[in-house]
Amino acid sequence: MIEMNNEVINAIIEKNDAEIAAILEKADEYAREKRAAATESAKAEAENSARLAAAKAEDIKAKRSTAARMERAKMLLAAKRKAVASVYEKLLAEVKKLDGKDFLAVVEAITGKYGEKGQKMILSASAPVTEKQVAELPAVKAKNMTVEKSDALAGGFVLSGETFDLDFTCAAIVESVRERTEKDVADEMFGEKQ
């Protein structure tokens, strides 16, 4: 009976060993499948991350390129504005250099067109003419204007009346010309005429 019990026990042990071996084999197979799936998943994730990183790098490159183009355009525009402004700065310098004869011709023309009876003409202290020379102009006499000089003006003159003043200082004249001609000057300078 003991021998029979030993045989039963041995049979049970063998059966358990076989079941354990089968379970271990299934566990190993399950682990292999999971490792293979995890490896494939990791590989796919790595490829996706590489694609995303490449796309992000291209995006950064495009943004930098766009920023560089925008900065270049801003610098070019600033240079063009400076070049156009220099034209009017030179014009202002030339207007301020008018000799007495040309200055009197400008005063006569403007007074004839815009002056009103009884106005006061205020000349810049730097005007190349005297108050007497201006007062003797036919248009100034015809409109019965008084003439005086002022240190407050930086070139040119002002027609001052009871209700309004007309500014014909050198800076005002050049600014008026600039408002009317700036686009044409820029087009001419930079070949943008259509």
Side-chain angles (χ1 to χ4, degrees):
M1 181 139 165
I2 292 185
E3 272 181 39
M4 193 166 155
N5 280 343
N6 277 345
E7 283 180 28
V8 170
I9 291 175
N10 284 338
I12 292 173
I13 289 174
E14 281 180 31
K15 187 177 176 188
N16 280 342
D17 285 345
E19 284 179 6
I20 289 172
I23 290 171
L24 289 175
E25 182 60 34
K26 284 184 180 178
D28 284 343
E29 186 180 330
Y30 179 78
R32 280 191 299 275
E33 288 174 4
K34 290 300 177 185
R35 272 195 300 274
T39 301
E40 281 300 312
S41 177
K43 185 178 174 184
E45 185 64 31
E47 288 172 359
N48 188 42
S49 292
R51 273 193 307 276
L52 290 174
K56 187 156 184 102
E58 283 299 315
D59 185 49
I60 290 169
K61 182 179 173 183
K63 286 178 181 173
R64 285 185 179 160
S65 176
T66 299
R69 281 194 312 274
M70 288 174 60
E71 187 62 28
R72 180 185 175 281
K74 283 184 357 187
M75 291 170 68
L76 184 59
L77 180 60
K80 285 180 177 182
R81 285 180 177 163
K82 188 173 182 178
V84 169
S86 74
V87 168
Y88 294 100
E89 289 166 8
K90 289 175 184 171
L91 176 61
L92 178 60
E94 290 301 314
V95 170
K96 285 182 176 182
K97 286 194 245 178
L98 286 177
D99 64 14
K101 180 182 173 188
D102 290 336
F103 187 86
L104 288 171
V106 168
V107 170
E108 176 73 12
I110 289 173
T111 303
K113 185 170 183 176
Y114 299 105
E116 293 183 357
K117 286 199 179 281
Q119 280 184 312
K120 181 192 313 181
M121 181 179 297
I122 304 168
L123 295 173
S124 166
S126 64
V129 295
T130 65
E131 292 105 315
K132 183 178 179 188
Q133 288 173 297
V134 173
E136 291 174 358
L137 291 172
V140 173
K141 283 182 180 179
K143 302 219 174 161
N144 197 26
M145 293 181 163
T146 59
V147 181
E148 62 182 58
K149 281 196 170 185
S150 170
D151 290 330
L153 302 178
F157 62 97
V158 171
L159 295 177
S160 181
E162 288 185 27
T163 56
F164 62 92
D165 296 337
L166 295 173
D167 187 352
F168 294 101
T169 58
C170 297
I173 291 169
V174 170
E175 189 57 35
S176 174
V177 169
R178 184 175 186 165
E179 288 173 6
R180 293 188 319 271
T181 63
E182 187 171 26
K183 183 181 180 334
D184 294 333
V185 167
D187 288 348
E188 189 67 33
M189 288 177 74
F190 305 111
E192 296 172 5
K193 241 180 185 174
Q194 301 296 343

